[in-house]
Amino acid sequence: MEHIKIFKGDIIFTERPEVFTTYKDGFVVVKNGTILAVYKDIPESYKGLPVENHRDKLIIPGLVDLHVHGPQFDQVGLGMDKELIDWLNIYTFQLESKFKDVEYAKEVYTRFVEALVKGGTTRVCIYATIHKQSTELLYDLLIHKGIGAYVGKVNMDQNGGINLQEDTLESIENTEALIKKYKNHSMVKPIITPRFAPNCTTALLKALGDLAAKYNIPVQSHLSENKKEVEWVKELFSDCSSYGDVYNKYGLFGQKPTLMAHGIYLVEEEIEMLRNQEVTIVHCPDSNMNLASGIMPTRRWLNEGINIGLGSDVGGGHLLSMTQTMVRAIQNSKVLQSITGEKSLSTSEAFYMATKGGGSFFGKVGSFEKGYVFDALIIDDEKWTKERLTIQERLNRFIYTGDDRNIISRYCNGFYIK
Amino acid sequence: MEHIKIFKGDIIFTERPEVFTTYKDGFVVVKNGTILAVYKDIPESYKGLPVENHRDKLIIPGLVDLHVHGPQFDQVGLGMDKELIDWLNIYTFQLESKFKDVEYAKEVYTRFVEALVKGGTTRVCIYATIHKQSTELLYDLLIHKGIGAYVGKVNMDQNGGINLQEDTLESIENTEALIKKYKNHSMVKPIITPRFAPNCTTALLKALGDLAAKYNIPVQSHLSENKKEVEWVKELFSDCSSYGDVYNKYGLFGQKPTLMAHGIYLVEEEIEMLRNQEVTIVHCPDSNMNLASGIMPTRRWLNEGINIGLGSDVGGGHLLSMTQTMVRAIQNSKVLQSITGEKSLSTSEAFYMATKGGGSFFGKVGSFEKGYVFDALIIDDEKWTKERLTIQERLNRFIYTGDDRNIISRYCNGFYIK
């Protein structure tokens, strides 16, 4: 029994999107980082083992951010006066070009990783930049920190401007080198990351699809975020029947586990491919509002059977907080409700997206069911709250009004994160 | 010169909505709480006087929240699964009925006032509840704290349910008693507060209009927040030509300075009255999203010449933060931009609404121009930010990503707030 850890507290999680599962003064029993069971009362066989007692605190799954740009942490809250393509060209590509300088990258990435973990994110899918050395540094910072991550060296060999564009071959070589270096790491792994279709030649897309297949590596990119972007893709890839088809043609659309950020303006063909090829859409509501991209019809995509996770999308989004991202997802769906009558997201649905839903990209992550790894946050809410409210109401209040100050401990894969 | 205070730092404010005014290492000279001037370099005549040096900190006007329900601080982040009328009946009216108990009120209001000030709000228009004693307590807490406020004892003599409804005469008497008690206070003053048309008989509305006229007291209420609410008002007041006309008929629509919260679904007649009778609309974007009320067409109302301020609308809104309220106002306007093409709000426009725009309800408040009272916040942003960014970019970053931890000092009417 020596590898068993028992955590006691007010436990809440979502097995299904529709409903919260709660245990007042419950116990999570963890063996070698994996959950054996959750109990209302501790069974006889475990009695006598030490218990980490988080009395009156909430114990919730660690939060999963499926879409964030590490370098753009340097521009949060800035340059919010443009829509996507101008925002990229005028602000973002200028910023990212600075990450050629490893010292610059180190300063930003160090702050980024600290803030990410402080905010309660324990699993994350990150876009770095095109730069190999800076990206290695980000891998190493995350490994040192102990959270779970997919990190993509960004690939872009066209339309990046003179400072943020790679030679096609160099792009492929650097990507493969990073894959070889990190593919066997248990917690921080590579992900194929064509920035978005307009930034990639067909030669590059084909090579990236081949790398994904060769090394069995997942894929992430952007899809149908902005109307002008969709038009541009149509012009650039006139032989493809849709934006999604560009990726699909090159083995980058569900042939390996795939994340596609945004997916606001999807056509029927894409919806079918997303469902049938089990591509996860990452909803980034703050970013969609900040860049005036539009509102993702979340309920419609859910009804279509598409898996949806949540992303902060810093720097299009301005906050790393996944709780505020949940709130914004709910708010976005309520704006649609006020226009179309479509049923908005419930808190449990948004919470599911940022825990078990998004966590599924990492394996058995994001729930406290048997067999899941123990990723968890300990939440200290205000004294008066505990006395008056149910566990579910307390979680609601934390989601809507809490911040990193309420998170007093973080665990990933069973380990305490310092 | 003994009553002169000089504040030094990186000063930023909005004289006009379109543009920020900034002074790097500038000086604000304040005499008896009123600003004499802002300088890039301190004139000879002031040399030798002590300077409060906030080197490398931002100095910005204190923030103005034109619409917040004090008691609902007790339900922030809860009950967000309903639209307006159900939300009021099922959650809010139950909660507010508890404020009959002064001890209960004291606990909530104490926390409310603390949180309000901590978040940087230095001027505020508050709805209390129908209860006289609890409302007095709120006045006294605010007076003790030293911020500027209008506090309304809420009036409602119909459709409040058995626990939250007053006798008409009692409602009027209690309102008049509070007016007499507080009308001559310099910082915390009464405001006539019919909850919203559906909660008031015509007898009550008439009496409230008379009180406003008799004592020269401003007015606040709710207007056209939700489609069903608008329909309901039409049924209840079938003799009135519009929702706004209900208030107007009884002298509650600009006959004295008036705030109307929301104003999403305005008709032509209302727009004209709002403009001609100089009624201020209070935009509460978080609340509008949380209660699926809809999106206020901010740009259209601005183009119509209507003055607009911002409100947190806690508890329909979930945060007291006026910076996050600015962000949400901008985001709301960008959602509309993505649908209708209407130009979204700039950061300076949103900042103006929460400072000089909203502040105008209190007199010369919300700017650092000559003759304005010194309401100010000292903002400590991160070290790396100061080195790289302009003052305007730093303010942008504070607005989008900052919180109460960045606010290191608060002043209202020239006084430091403890």
Side-chain angles (χ1 to χ4, degrees):
Chain A
M1 303 287 260
E2 67 264 40
H3 297 302
I4 288 183
K5 286 185 193 167
I6 302 173
F7 300 87
K8 184 178 180 189
D10 298 335
I11 298 159
I12 182 163
F13 58 103
T14 41
E15 294 176 65
R16 297 179 292 120
E18 299 77 23
V19 65
F20 285 108
T21 301
T22 62
Y23 293 81
K24 176 75 189 157
D25 291 323
F27 299 84
V28 193
V29 180
V30 180
K31 185 173 179 182
N32 296 326
T34 300
I35 292 163
L36 293 181
V38 183
Y39 298 103
K40 174 72 201 85
D41 299 297
I42 196 80
E44 204 57 45
S45 55
Y46 294 120
K47 281 190 178 158
L49 288 179
V51 172
E52 196 172 303
N53 193 348
H54 298 288
R55 188 181 166 78
D56 287 340
K57 310 286 188 294
L58 295 175
I59 304 182
I60 71 171
L63 304 176
V64 182
D65 186 347
L66 286 187
H67 187 69
V68 60
H69 294 264
Q72 295 174 25
F73 187 63
D74 203 33
Q75 68 176 25
V76 279
L78 305 181
M80 308 257 78
D81 58 332
K82 299 276 182 276
E83 288 195 36
L84 180 65
I85 306 299
D86 285 342
W87 177 78
L88 286 172
N89 289 323
I90 297 171
Y91 300 111
T92 310
F93 289 176
Q94 306 307 318
L95 167 86
E96 289 194 15
S97 69
K98 295 185 194 168
F99 284 69
K100 191 180 175 181
D101 174 353
V102 181
E103 282 308 307
Y104 192 96
K106 188 176 179 182
E107 194 258 3
V108 177
Y109 282 154
T110 302
R111 280 189 292 108
F112 165 65
V113 171
E114 277 304 315
L116 195 70
V117 172
K118 204 171 160 197
T121 298
T122 51
R123 302 275 171 169
V124 58
C125 295
I126 307 175
Y127 287 54
T129 60
I130 61 171
H131 312 95
K132 181 166 169 273
Q133 265 194 291
S134 298
T135 305
E136 282 180 310
L137 184 91
L138 180 55
Y139 272 95
D140 296 342
L141 285 168
L142 289 159
I143 290 168
H144 182 73
K145 196 72 196 172
I147 65 169
Y150 283 105
V151 178
K153 185 208 101 57
V154 169
N155 302 100
M156 44 199 296
D157 68 344
Q158 67 177 7
N159 297 318
I162 46 162
N163 294 318
L164 199 70
Q165 202 161 290
E166 311 165 288
D167 168 74
T168 309
L169 276 183
E170 194 191 351
S171 178
I172 299 164
E173 279 170 16
N174 284 340
T175 303
E176 188 162 15
L178 285 171
I179 290 173
K180 285 182 177 166
K181 183 165 178 187
Y182 292 103
K183 74 183 164 62
N184 293 321
H185 197 280
S186 65
M187 293 296 289
V188 182
K189 292 163 175 287
I191 184 166
I192 299 288
T193 308
R195 184 174 204 119
F196 72 148
N199 277 134
C200 302
T201 61
T202 52
L204 179 57
L205 289 172
K206 185 179 178 319
L208 293 176
D210 292 346
L211 283 178
K214 181 176 173 187
Y215 291 102
N216 194 25
I217 301 283
V219 174
Q220 63 181 353
S221 196
H222 295 84
L223 180 72
S224 299
E225 174 178 2
N226 172 292
K227 285 176 190 165
K228 282 185 195 155
E229 170 212 18
V230 173
E231 286 308 305
W232 193 25
V233 171
K234 227 176 239 172
E235 282 170 34
L236 289 170
F237 300 88
S238 54
D239 60 319
C240 293
S241 52
S242 67
Y243 194 159
D245 186 46
V246 178
Y247 299 121
N248 189 52
K249 204 165 173 176
Y250 300 103
L252 297 163
F253 208 68
Q255 290 77 7
K256 296 293 161 191
T258 300
L259 299 175
M260 284 286 151
H262 308 301
I264 299 176
Y265 301 104
L266 300 176
V267 296
E268 202 49 54
E269 177 191 270
E270 290 170 305
I271 294 169
E272 272 179 43
M273 282 199 291
L274 287 163
R275 178 180 48 230
N276 297 337
Q277 296 167 210
E278 295 180 14
V279 174
T280 295
I281 283 287
V282 190
H283 181 30
C284 307
D286 256 328
S287 171
N288 295 343
M289 298 182 94
N290 289 338
L291 299 177
S293 301
I295 301 186
M296 191 176 92
T298 320
R299 179 65 61 201
R300 269 180 59 205
W301 298 168
L302 287 174
N303 288 345
E304 293 279 3
I306 297 172
N307 184 40
I308 300 177
L310 294 181
S312 68
D313 196 18
V314 157
H318 55 283
L319 297 171
L320 287 172
S321 161
M322 290 310 295
T323 51
Q324 282 303 304
T325 302
M326 291 179 215
V327 173
R328 219 72 70 236
I330 297 167
Q331 289 183 320
N332 263 265
S333 73
K334 285 178 175 171
V335 168
L336 263 194
Q337 178 180 305
S338 73
I339 298 171
T340 68
E342 239 163 74
K343 190 169 168 275
S344 59
L345 291 181
S346 67
T347 314
S348 67
E349 286 181 304
F351 189 78
Y352 181 90
M353 287 180 184
T355 55
K356 190 174 174 181
S360 66
F361 199 75
F362 293 85
K364 288 205 153 193
V365 165
S367 183
F368 291 148
E369 294 158 74
K370 180 175 160 54
Y372 275 70
V373 297
F374 187 68
D375 285 12
L377 306 177
I378 313 297
I379 309 299
D380 189 1
D381 47 355
E382 293 172 74
K383 187 179 165 295
W384 61 275
T385 294
K386 288 168 208 162
E387 289 164 2
R388 291 190 195 160
L389 304 181
T390 65
I391 294 178
Q392 187 174 325
E393 286 173 324
R394 288 166 55 195
L395 179 65
N396 265 268
R397 176 158 287 178
F398 167 65
I399 290 171
Y400 272 88
T401 73
D403 63 29
D404 55 271
R405 287 172 277 196
N406 297 105
I407 307 173
I408 56 171
S409 301
R410 297 145 185 91
Y411 300 84
C412 184
N413 205 32
F415 290 100
Y416 178 79
I417 304 173
K418 273 189 215 108
Chain B
M1 303 285 264
E2 65 264 41
H3 298 301
I4 288 183
K5 286 185 193 170
I6 302 173
F7 300 87
K8 184 178 181 188
D10 298 336
I11 297 159
I12 181 163
F13 58 104
T14 42
E15 294 176 66
R16 296 179 292 121
E18 299 77 23
V19 66
F20 285 108
T21 302
T22 63
Y23 292 81
K24 175 76 188 157
D25 291 320
F27 299 83
V28 192
V29 181
V30 179
K31 185 174 180 181
N32 296 325
T34 299
I35 292 164
L36 293 181
V38 183
Y39 298 104
K40 173 75 201 83
D41 299 297
I42 195 80
E44 202 58 43
S45 55
Y46 295 121
K47 281 189 179 159
L49 288 179
V51 172
E52 197 173 303
N53 192 349
H54 298 288
R55 189 184 165 77
D56 287 340
K57 311 286 188 293
L58 295 174
I59 304 181
I60 71 172
L63 304 176
V64 182
D65 186 347
L66 285 188
H67 187 70
V68 60
H69 294 264
Q72 295 174 24
F73 187 63
D74 203 33
Q75 68 178 25
V76 279
L78 304 180
M80 307 256 79
D81 57 334
K82 298 278 181 278
E83 288 194 37
L84 179 66
I85 306 298
D86 286 341
W87 178 77
L88 286 173
N89 289 322
I90 297 170
Y91 299 111
T92 310
F93 290 176
Q94 305 307 317
L95 167 86
E96 289 193 16
S97 69
K98 295 184 192 167
F99 284 69
K100 192 179 174 179
D101 174 353
V102 182
E103 283 307 307
Y104 191 95
K106 188 177 180 181
E107 194 259 2
V108 177
Y109 283 154
T110 303
R111 283 190 290 106
F112 165 65
V113 172
E114 278 303 315
L116 195 69
V117 173
K118 204 172 160 195
T121 298
T122 51
R123 302 275 171 169
V124 60
C125 295
I126 308 177
Y127 288 53
T129 61
I130 60 171
H131 311 95
K132 180 167 169 274
Q133 266 195 288
S134 298
T135 304
E136 283 181 307
L137 185 92
L138 180 56
Y139 272 97
D140 295 342
L141 286 167
L142 289 159
I143 290 168
H144 182 73
K145 196 70 196 174
I147 66 169
Y150 283 105
V151 179
K153 185 209 102 61
V154 169
N155 302 98
M156 43 199 296
D157 68 345
Q158 66 175 8
N159 296 318
I162 47 163
N163 295 317
L164 198 70
Q165 204 160 288
E166 309 166 287
D167 168 73
T168 309
L169 276 183
E170 192 192 351
S171 178
I172 298 163
E173 279 170 18
N174 285 339
T175 303
E176 188 160 16
L178 285 171
I179 290 173
K180 284 181 176 166
K181 182 165 179 186
Y182 293 103
K183 73 182 165 60
N184 293 322
H185 197 279
S186 65
M187 294 296 288
V188 182
K189 291 164 176 286
I191 184 166
I192 299 289
T193 308
R195 185 177 202 114
F196 71 151
N199 278 134
C200 302
T201 61
T202 53
L204 179 57
L205 289 172
K206 185 179 177 319
L208 293 176
D210 291 347
L211 284 178
K214 180 177 176 188
Y215 293 101
N216 194 24
I217 301 282
V219 175
Q220 62 181 353
S221 196
H222 296 83
L223 180 71
S224 299
E225 173 178 2
N226 172 291
K227 286 177 191 166
K228 282 184 196 156
E229 171 213 21
V230 174
E231 286 308 306
W232 194 26
V233 172
K234 227 177 240 174
E235 281 170 35
L236 290 169
F237 300 87
S238 54
D239 60 319
C240 293
S241 53
S242 66
Y243 195 158
D245 185 46
V246 178
Y247 299 120
N248 189 52
K249 204 164 174 174
Y250 300 103
L252 298 163
F253 208 67
Q255 289 76 8
K256 296 293 162 190
T258 300
L259 299 176
M260 284 285 151
H262 309 300
I264 299 177
Y265 301 104
L266 300 175
V267 297
E268 201 50 51
E269 177 191 272
E270 289 170 305
I271 294 169
E272 272 178 42
M273 282 198 292
L274 288 163
R275 179 183 45 232
N276 297 337
Q277 297 168 210
E278 296 181 13
V279 174
T280 295
I281 283 286
V282 189
H283 181 31
C284 307
D286 256 329
S287 171
N288 294 344
M289 298 182 94
N290 289 338
L291 299 178
S293 302
I295 302 186
M296 190 176 92
T298 321
R299 179 65 59 200
R300 269 179 60 205
W301 298 168
L302 287 175
N303 289 344
E304 293 279 4
I306 297 172
N307 184 37
I308 300 177
L310 293 181
S312 68
D313 195 18
V314 157
H318 55 283
L319 298 171
L320 287 172
S321 160
M322 289 310 295
T323 50
Q324 282 302 304
T325 302
M326 292 179 215
V327 173
R328 219 74 69 236
I330 297 168
Q331 288 184 320
N332 263 266
S333 72
K334 285 178 176 172
V335 168
L336 264 195
Q337 179 181 305
S338 73
I339 297 171
T340 68
E342 238 162 77
K343 189 168 168 275
S344 59
L345 290 181
S346 67
T347 314
S348 67
E349 285 181 304
F351 189 79
Y352 180 90
M353 287 179 184
T355 55
K356 190 174 174 180
S360 65
F361 199 73
F362 294 85
K364 289 207 153 192
V365 166
S367 182
F368 292 147
E369 294 158 74
K370 179 176 164 53
Y372 275 71
V373 297
F374 187 68
D375 285 12
L377 307 178
I378 313 296
I379 309 299
D380 188 0
D381 49 355
E382 293 172 74
K383 189 179 163 295
W384 61 274
T385 293
K386 289 169 209 163
E387 288 164 2
R388 291 190 194 160
L389 304 181
T390 64
I391 294 178
Q392 187 174 326
E393 285 172 324
R394 287 167 55 196
L395 179 66
N396 264 270
R397 174 157 289 174
F398 168 65
I399 290 171
Y400 273 89
T401 73
D403 62 31
D404 55 270
R405 287 173 278 196
N406 296 106
I407 307 172
I408 56 171
S409 299
R410 297 145 186 89
Y411 300 84
C412 184
N413 205 31
F415 290 100
Y416 178 80
I417 304 173
K418 271 187 216 109

